[in-house]
Amino acid sequence: MSSFDLGYGTNGFANHRLDDALRVIADLGYTAVGLTLDHHHLDPFAPGQARAAERLAGLLSSLGLRCVVETGARYLLDPSHKHHPTLVSESAGPRIDFLLRSVRIAQSLGAACVSFWSGVSEPGVSGQTNRGRMIRHLGPVVDEAQRRGVRLALEPEPGMVVERLEEALDLRRALGEPEVLGVTLDVGHCVAVEPVDAATCVVRAGRLLFNVQLDDMLPGVHEHLEFGQGGLDLAGTLAALDLIGYRGVAAVELPRHSHAAPQVAARALAALRQARGANGPKQDGPPLRGGTSIQGGASRPSAVGER
């Protein structure tokens, strides 16, 4: 039986100061956090960032929170174009610099990994060109992660060049299967675009699963939903994480629920505890296993929606 940490993503606390968000997350009973670096949440480009990261590491420790570093901030690099540039942009310099900074921050925080995604293809660019760009642009990031002993986790993202788990695993092989590179699996994305269910994806990722994001979705629609509002088998998915011995962070990913963050986070933790058969405050021992079997699912269409 595994012992992974349940967390909540700070991109779902966009209306809170970072310190306040972390305290609310910890007070609710979470033991981890998905920290999205952003203008107001440990800005990686701000003066004095290194000292801020050192102070934050102390706060995380005092609150008993593990963390992963998430890099999906929408307008951090370009105030006019969401997520631009990306790893598949022709001019990806700012994205590479951001990821290098994220690796250094992750080292300072003792983070479990740095999670990132590929990006949406530029118009008219071929799949072969996008693949070549990703391999070239990721080279210095992988090198920096290896030097600093920080793990990287590539997230398949609906609508992006790397959309499904198999595409992420294939890119890892193309990069020479570096030990520091694994995958982030958003279990809602599995509902939206994968040909099999989330539990099967968890098992398929196996030892390469470095990070997990938790949310619900509907087939073919990229919209992060609270648990029970989509097609996710939550108990079966958590059971699959136990089955593979996952010991990382599994953080709730609800980036469009900041208007009611404390209430939404409380509901999410209650649903997770119910799905695991757990009750009460922070868990002192290994989590309980879910009771749902792991089964495949039917093919699903490409998703449209948020990010």
Side-chain angles (χ1 to χ4, degrees):
M1 187 179 296
S2 70
S3 181
F4 59 89
D5 284 276
L6 293 175
Y8 201 90
T10 59
N11 62 357
F13 273 79
N15 300 321
H16 283 69
R17 298 180 184 88
L18 180 56
D19 287 13
D20 291 341
L22 296 177
R23 290 190 175 96
V24 171
I25 289 167
D27 288 346
L28 286 171
Y30 289 97
T31 56
V33 63
L35 173 61
T36 296
L37 303 179
D38 210 338
H39 299 285
H40 58 304
H41 286 172
L42 193 62
D43 184 347
F45 301 100
Q49 175 275 315
R51 292 190 299 275
E54 183 178 353
R55 186 197 66 80
L56 181 60
L59 178 60
L60 290 168
S61 178
S62 70
L63 294 173
L65 293 174
R66 293 179 68 189
C67 82
V68 298
V69 171
E70 297 281 356
T71 59
R74 292 184 174 95
Y75 291 99
L76 181 63
L77 304 184
D78 186 327
S80 299
H81 300 91
K82 185 172 70 172
H83 297 322
H84 185 78
T86 73
L87 286 169
V88 295
S89 299
E90 182 177 8
S91 300
R95 176 65 54 176
I96 296 169
D97 177 46
F98 173 38
L99 292 177
L100 293 173
R101 290 170 183 264
S102 299
V103 168
R104 294 192 287 270
I105 289 171
Q107 182 186 34
S108 298
L109 298 179
C113 69
V114 173
S115 180
F116 67 100
W117 33 245
S118 58
V120 176
S121 177
E122 294 178 338
V125 177
S126 69
Q128 182 178 2
T129 297
N130 282 325
R131 180 185 176 89
R133 287 178 179 178
M134 275 211 74
I135 292 171
R136 184 171 68 255
H137 295 158
L138 273 176
V141 181
V142 171
D143 289 346
E144 181 76 351
Q146 289 173 330
R147 282 194 296 270
R148 294 181 178 272
V150 173
R151 299 201 301 178
L152 303 169
L154 172 58
E155 179 190 0
E157 183 79 27
M160 292 193 178
V161 169
V162 176
E163 182 178 55
R164 297 185 179 183
L165 174 61
E166 286 302 326
E167 293 168 341
L169 297 176
D170 178 66
L171 185 69
R172 183 179 185 273
R173 288 188 289 268
L175 286 161
E177 300 186 317
E179 283 298 314
V180 295
L181 180 60
V183 297
T184 289
L185 195 65
D186 184 315
V187 299
H189 294 171
C190 298
V191 177
V193 299
E194 293 285 355
V196 295
D197 66 9
T200 304
C201 289
V202 165
V203 174
R204 174 71 183 91
R207 70 175 186 85
L208 297 178
L209 186 59
F210 288 0
N211 183 37
V212 175
Q213 296 170 355
L214 300 169
D215 50 79
D216 209 341
M217 287 192 191
L218 293 166
V221 182
H222 187 199
E223 181 182 0
H224 292 245
L225 303 173
E226 294 188 57
F227 299 123
Q229 296 181 0
L232 178 70
D233 176 2
L234 182 58
T237 301
L238 298 178
L241 292 172
D242 284 329
L243 180 67
I244 68 168
Y246 180 66
R247 290 186 168 277
V249 171
V252 177
E253 177 87 346
L254 292 172
R256 298 196 175 185
H257 291 69
S258 293
H259 63 284
Q263 295 75 28
V264 172
R267 289 197 296 268
L269 187 57
L272 288 164
R273 285 175 169 165
Q274 182 177 14
R276 300 182 85 180
N279 294 291
K282 293 184 181 182
Q283 301 207 26
D284 296 322
L288 300 177
R289 289 284 300 275
T292 305
S293 61
I294 301 170
Q295 299 178 5
S299 295
R300 299 185 174 107
S302 293
V304 295
E306 62 184 56
R307 240 315 175 190

